[in-house]
Amino acid sequence: MMSEQWYFIDSGENNPSFNMAMDEVLLDWHSRGLLPPILRFYSWKPAALSLGHFQKTVGRIDVDKAKAIGVEIVRRPTGGLAVLHDKELTYSVVLSEKHDKMSPSIIEAYRVLSQGILEGYRYLGIQADLAIPNAPIGKSGTAVCFEESSWYELEIEGKKAAGSAQTRQKGVILQHGSIPMEMDIEQLYDLFTFPNEKVKNKAKHLFEQKAVTINQILGRQTSLEEVKDAFKKGFEKGLDIEFTSYQPNEQMLEEIKELMRTKYESEKYTFQR
């Protein structure tokens, strides 16, 4: 039996507003039947802090510090908490809610799509597991995504290894997520506001016990190409699909630029909460 054909897009390094606008345009094009299901890989230049769609910034995010160290802030179309995107592979998946593999249950959809990430880690020689949280998600009061695992996110030896977020619009699921190769914890915690240094240092210490990266587990430096190759094969195996490479055409790029201008580059949208 033939594996299902999906499009694969490697859009490389782009600025934060481009990355979010492209995910949203892909969702729109898929909803109109212009594209089959899609897996997209991308990275960020400059580094960026992405905020969950409903996340509050006032009193939580140090916007001045972010500007001072050259980290841009962008608001995602998906939920969840803040993620610092720097030395990582970011993925997005776009497919119909009515797809044979999908479920009305958001948690079940996470489980299915996480199989691709799970197999990607295995191709790197890392044994990862799907998280089953003990406590309700979002009850820790943190603003930092990697401080707690959601249902069926990836854990290695009990530590969160990949963070994902999802939205459903126009009958389409968009799930995107961060697969860190390494992480600058000092920089990450400089981007949040704390009542004092003691609270900040305690939060950093707890974070180190809860999150882990590919390079930490392997004990060596990986290249982005090595990680891309592993996770592309991982998605093919985990979801039983085959990829056809796709390049955005001029019309798509124009729509992305327009959405960047009107939405993702707008401070009114980014700092609406």
Side-chain angles (χ1 to χ4, degrees):
M1 194 170 130
M2 287 265 301
S3 297
E4 185 187 0
Q5 299 291 311
W6 287 32
Y7 275 175
F8 173 73
I9 301 171
D10 181 351
S11 53
E13 265 185 351
N14 290 287
N15 68 42
S17 57
F18 179 96
N19 281 336
M20 294 300 91
M22 185 166 186
D23 275 353
E24 188 171 333
V25 168
L26 290 173
L27 181 154
D28 180 61
W29 280 42
H30 185 64
S31 76
R32 293 190 279 146
L34 300 174
L35 297 173
I38 302 146
L39 172 69
R40 175 183 167 226
F41 285 167
Y42 54 100
S43 49
W44 307 68
K45 192 170 185 180
L49 187 73
S50 78
L51 310 170
H53 183 69
F54 301 104
Q55 189 168 14
K56 291 186 172 69
T57 54
V58 179
R60 308 296 297 276
I61 309 296
D62 191 334
V63 177
D64 292 336
K65 182 69 175 182
K67 285 179 180 171
I69 62 176
V71 171
E72 288 193 9
I73 298 175
V74 68
R75 188 174 289 276
R76 301 190 303 269
T78 53
L81 300 170
V83 181
L84 177 61
H85 303 279
D86 192 4
K87 298 176 179 72
E88 69 172 36
L89 172 64
T90 314
Y91 77 91
S92 63
V93 172
V94 174
L95 78 169
S96 170
E97 288 184 280
K98 293 189 169 73
H99 189 281
D100 290 347
K101 289 187 171 77
M102 287 297 98
S103 161
S105 160
I106 291 172
I107 289 174
E108 178 62 14
Y110 268 121
R111 186 192 67 76
V112 172
L113 296 176
S114 291
Q115 294 299 322
I117 308 169
L118 191 68
E119 293 294 343
Y121 279 111
R122 287 176 179 161
Y123 276 113
L124 287 170
I126 296 171
Q127 183 58 48
D129 301 293
L130 297 178
I132 311 288
N134 293 320
I137 301 303
K139 297 300 182 188
S140 65
T142 181
V144 188
C145 174
F146 276 80
E147 280 189 17
E148 55 178 27
S149 293
S150 298
W151 282 93
Y152 298 122
E153 288 191 311
L154 272 290
E155 290 187 338
I156 298 167
E157 296 172 1
K159 294 184 177 183
K160 185 166 176 174
S164 300
Q166 196 180 108
T167 186
R168 296 180 181 221
Q169 300 173 28
K170 305 176 184 177
V172 175
I173 296 169
L174 164 65
Q175 180 172 310
H176 50 198
S178 165
I179 302 169
M181 295 157 64
E182 55 186 86
M183 204 179 283
D184 186 335
I185 296 172
E186 291 294 326
Q187 185 182 60
L188 174 64
Y189 275 79
D190 280 349
L191 299 172
F192 298 93
T193 53
F194 294 91
N196 54 57
E197 279 298 306
K198 186 178 178 182
V199 172
K200 180 179 179 180
N201 288 332
K202 184 180 178 184
K204 275 196 294 194
H205 178 67
L206 287 171
F207 180 87
E208 287 170 346
Q209 297 174 327
K210 291 179 178 179
V212 71
T213 66
I214 288 171
N215 291 355
Q216 278 178 294
I217 290 291
L218 292 177
R220 64 177 177 85
Q221 293 294 113
T222 49
S223 71
L224 186 56
E225 289 310 309
E226 177 188 1
V227 173
K228 281 179 183 177
D229 182 59
F231 282 92
K232 185 180 179 187
K233 289 191 291 190
F235 272 98
E236 283 188 313
K237 182 177 179 184
L239 274 66
D240 188 25
I241 53 181
E242 289 181 4
F243 289 121
T244 301
S245 290
Y246 175 79
Q247 292 293 328
N249 59 28
E250 283 303 313
Q251 184 184 344
M252 179 179 284
L253 290 171
E254 284 303 316
E255 287 186 28
I256 291 167
K257 285 178 194 168
E258 180 65 12
L259 194 59
M260 287 168 67
R261 187 183 64 79
T262 58
K263 184 174 181 180
Y264 290 105
E265 290 175 351
S266 160
E267 290 206 348
K268 185 179 178 185
Y269 173 74
T270 303
F271 300 110
Q272 61 183 280
R273 299 175 194 278

